Amino acid sequence: MGLDYGSVTVGVAISDSMHLTAQPVEVIQRKSENKLRRTLARIEELVEEFEVGLVVLGLPKNMNNTEGERVERVKEFRDKLTVRTGLEVVLWDERLSTVSAMDVLKEGGVRRENRKQFVDKLAASIILQGYLDSIN
């Protein structure tokens, strides 16, 4: 499973059974950044539904490879996710994943006002695909 963790959304992607390709699944919405109970519960449901064995979580490093405040929040989320699911959570450099997702949506002819509903799950797919490509 690939996750793109944002301040009020989490994009979710799943790999195929052979771990070759990543497909976007959904975007989990939160009312505020600190409200994680329902988000973690939904991820736990998806872990069971798709029989997930590993989670790849996007790590939002700065372009100069430094770690900022967002990285700390992602690491805190990783820790909560590990406790909740019991799964290994791999942090994966997500720089430019959202930009790439927006480019794909533009090229696909998705209207500007509709892109927001797809961008996070597509970014999660790009994060997961990068990880899958690295292990294959």
Side-chain angles (χ1 to χ4, degrees), residues 20-84:
L20 297 174
T21 62
Q23 297 83 34
V25 174
E26 72 178 72
V27 175
I28 301 168
Q29 300 282 340
R30 292 198 312 279
K31 292 185 187 215
S32 74
E33 189 166 3
N34 297 322
K35 303 280 185 179
L36 290 174
R37 189 174 48 82
R38 287 186 181 153
T39 300
L40 290 167
R42 180 60 185 146
I43 291 170
E44 193 172 31
E45 290 171 1
L46 292 168
V47 162
E48 289 179 27
E49 179 182 340
F50 290 101
E51 300 176 357
V52 172
L54 175 89
V55 177
V56 180
L57 179 59
L59 187 67
K61 287 184 167 184
N62 297 321
M63 290 306 292
N64 65 0
N65 204 33
T66 60
E67 297 184 359
E69 181 183 332
R70 295 291 316 153
V71 167
E72 290 307 312
R73 290 184 188 179
V74 166
K75 288 180 177 179
E76 290 170 7
F77 181 68
R78 174 204 53 200
D79 295 343
K80 291 175 182 175
L81 195 57
T82 300
V83 169
R84 184 75 181 243

Side-chain angles (χ1 to χ4, degrees), residues 30 39 46-47 52 69 92 95-97 109 114 120 130 134:
R30 292 198 312 279
T39 300
L46 292 168
V47 162
V52 172
E69 181 183 332
W92 191 257
R95 282 179 282 185
L96 300 178
S97 63
N114 296 333
D120 294 320
S134 77

Side-chain angles (χ1 to χ4, degrees), residues 90-105:
V90 174
L91 295 176
W92 191 257
D93 188 347
E94 70 166 35
R95 282 179 282 185
L96 300 178
S97 63
T98 300
V99 173
S100 297
M102 288 299 272
D103 289 345
V104 167
L105 293 170

